[in-house]
Amino acid sequence: MWFSTGSRGLTRVLGWLAALGLLAGLVLALGVAPREVSQGNVQRIMYLHVPSILTAYLAFAIVLVASLGYLVSRRQAWDRWAGSAAEIGTLFTGLTLASGSLWGKPTWGTWWTWDARLTATAVMFVTYVAYLMLRGMIDEAERRAQLAAVLGILAALNIPLVHFSVLWWRTLHQPPTLLRPVPAALAGIFRLTLGVNWVAFTLLFAYLLAKRIRVGRLSEAGLP
Amino acid sequence: MRFVRRAWILAWKDLTIEWRAKETLNSLFFFALLLIFLFQFALGPDRERLSAALPGLLWLGFILSGLLGLGRTFAGERDNDCWDGLRLAPGEKSAIYVGKLAGNLLLMLAVEAIFLLLFGVFFDLDLVAALPGLALVVGLGTLGLAAVGTLFAAMTAHVRARELLFPVLLLPVEVPVLLGTVKATEAVLLGEPLGSVAHWLKLLAVANVIYLTIGVLTFDVVLDG
Amino acid sequence: MPDHPATPEHWGFVVAAYGLAAIVLGGYWRRLVRLEREATAKHDRRPAPPGTATPR
């Protein structure tokens, strides 16, 4: 079976790799990467903010796949993946919002603005908080897995709808545009710093996920 | 077409019950009236500020009354110990979803019609000109609300704190519908051609397809497991 | 690097962001470690099925 006692070793390795990656990422982000010209040092928050949201997307993709997996196979392990990924994904989404806010205050002069990306992220955040609330209010493991799976699929499929509706809502009378990814024109060192931090966050996510699933498996009541 | 027949019987049962008691309908009509007062008091006598907010207020009204109405979708079955009857009914469970959805749609459209009427009266709007466009937008939006609402009503029917959990689950999911309908309603009320909001209408249509598909495919899981 | 940059430094915000991330992620990690320890202890303490008990 997945995550048996044997793979505690794998979890430990993940943990150490994550720690190393985070350290490297931190050094790059705060030290090595040069001060960005237009925004100043506040731009360094992006090395935390962007990997955070990317990790959250990964987490919610896992929730989608695991929810589908559960509905198809009805094996509890899928539900543990879904619940764990949702919990950690929500955590990273919250972190994205907070770091975005801390970036926005010095840059735009306000703690919050209803710009497209922040708003869409905020909606995604409350959607998955609601998902976690549903999970929290059902005691019986099988029933919880069933209902959470349905919600997990709906929530994930709703994300692109939220994204486009918020984007068009903000860009009032302009014709609708596709999502612009992270700005392409990034100089080498910026891209490297971002990349290293992204990898580090992904490793951290994998490590936390492994631990969370293990906790879920071991505790008799299953995942809260 | 036994599927359609089952859905139809269920919808007919619910509508008949409702028609005889008129509890839900009357309460929601009255609630709509109260909401209009609320909006007026909350936004003050400034006509221009109110005018600018009207499309949003309209849909806030639809959503708030929708939350009340949709939340009660399975109240009858739950309170009268008929839930198991629903679970054990022969045939595809998704017929129950469609039947309940149809009932909810009719209920919501009735309340929304009254709400629109009251809106026109209290805020001095000429709705006749905008009617065809409004009908389309309201139809698409209401379907979007009801499709997810009916599913979530079944989902939360036996969950702790369901009256609180239901709106908490529904509102985040409905954000695209809310945005789309408000923007499209704004355009329609301003007399703009529907073509200018074609992308919103397409979004609403796509959303409805997704919600209905998930509802139909997963209802038996939600109802029973 | 210029001595007096045109835009203010705002290091406080940067530190706040990274500090918050450290506290939140670190706190969550510690919670997981604690839960794992408790769950493992409970798991090990559970009585073995009859016929498989071994002297410890």
Side-chain angles (χ1 to χ4, degrees), chain B:
Chain B
M1 283 271 112
R2 296 182 68 185
F3 180 96
V4 174
R5 185 172 158 69
R6 286 207 184 90
W8 169 248
I9 290 174
L10 185 62
W12 182 248
K13 165 188 80 78
D14 282 339
L15 288 170
T16 311
I17 293 176
E18 182 50 40
W19 187 251
R20 290 204 184 124
K22 295 198 193 58
E23 265 179 12
T24 311
L25 205 57
N26 285 350
S27 309
L28 286 178
F29 285 163
F30 192 57
F31 183 68
L33 180 65
L34 291 176
L35 276 182
I36 292 192
F37 286 171
L38 219 67
F39 293 155
Q40 178 69 47
F41 297 152
L43 290 176
D46 186 341
R47 257 209 75 79
E48 271 185 33
R49 179 162 66 169
L50 207 55
S51 286
L54 280 178
L57 291 176
L58 188 69
W59 281 94
L60 268 182
F62 289 171
I63 285 187
L64 288 172
S65 38
L67 277 178
L68 288 183
L70 290 169
R72 290 177 52 80
T73 309
F74 293 96
E77 279 81 3
R78 197 179 49 238
D79 296 340
N80 294 306
D81 254 334
C82 304
W83 184 260
D84 286 329
L86 217 56
R87 282 178 53 226
L88 296 170
E92 284 194 43
K93 300 294 186 295
S94 45
I96 299 176
Y97 171 70
V98 173
K100 283 287 181 182
L101 173 63
N104 277 335
L105 263 176
L106 281 165
L107 181 68
M108 285 178 75
L109 287 171
V111 175
E112 286 165 359
I114 297 292
F115 201 83
L116 267 170
L117 201 73
L118 290 172
F119 236 65
V121 167
F122 279 97
F123 300 125
D124 200 21
L125 290 174
D126 176 23
L127 294 173
V128 177
L131 213 48
L134 258 183
L136 178 62
V137 176
V138 170
L140 284 173
T142 309
L143 185 59
L145 286 173
V148 185
T150 308
L151 182 67
F152 284 0
M155 205 184 269
T156 57
H158 294 285
V159 174
R160 272 202 323 267
R162 58 176 169 273
E163 307 88 353
L164 300 176
L165 194 61
F166 178 72
V168 163
L169 287 179
L170 190 61
L171 290 176
V173 174
E174 295 292 345
V175 164
V177 171
L178 178 60
L179 289 175
T181 51
V182 169
K183 279 296 179 191
T185 304
E186 203 173 62
V188 165
L189 288 179
L190 286 174
E192 287 169 26
L194 274 183
S196 64
V197 287
H199 51 294
W200 285 116
L201 297 175
K202 279 187 212 142
L203 183 98
L204 287 172
V206 168
N208 283 344
V209 169
I210 292 177
Y211 299 154
L212 286 169
T213 308
I214 293 181
V216 166
L217 289 179
T218 63
F219 197 72
D220 60 331
V221 177
V222 169
L223 196 62
D224 201 11

Side-chain angles (χ1 to χ4, degrees), chain A residues 6 8 10 15 31 58 63-64 74 92 102 116 119 126 139 153 158 170 176 181 186 194-195 204 213 224:
Chain A
R8 276 176 94 170
L10 171 66
L58 173 64
V63 174
L64 174 63
R74 298 307 170 99
F92 276 102
L102 284 166
T119 307
V126 297
D139 296 322
I153 293 169
N158 210 44
R170 288 307 298 177
L186 273 184
L194 192 62
L204 176 65
I213 291 174

Side-chain angles (χ1 to χ4, degrees), chain A residues 26 29 35 41-42 44-45 47-48 87-88 91 98 102 105-106 111 204 207-208 211-212 214 218 220, chain C residues 5 7 9-11 13-14 16-18 20-21 24-25 28-29 31-33 35-36 39-40 42-43 46:
Chain A
L26 203 64
R35 190 179 162 284
N41 281 310
V42 176
R44 297 178 190 274
I45 295 183
Y47 300 124
L48 164 64
E87 192 173 284
I88 302 173
L91 202 72
L102 284 166
K105 180 62 173 161
W111 289 111
L204 176 65
Y207 170 67
L208 291 174
K211 268 214 159 338
R212 186 65 183 91
R214 185 145 198 283
L218 288 176
E220 275 145 1
Chain C
T7 53
E9 284 302 351
H10 299 305
W11 272 111
F13 287 92
V14 179
Y18 278 89
L20 183 67
V24 167
L25 291 172
Y28 184 69
W29 172 67
R31 179 172 171 272
L32 284 186
V33 168
L35 283 176
E36 190 183 15
T40 317
K42 213 190 297 182
H43 199 254
R46 255 194 268 144

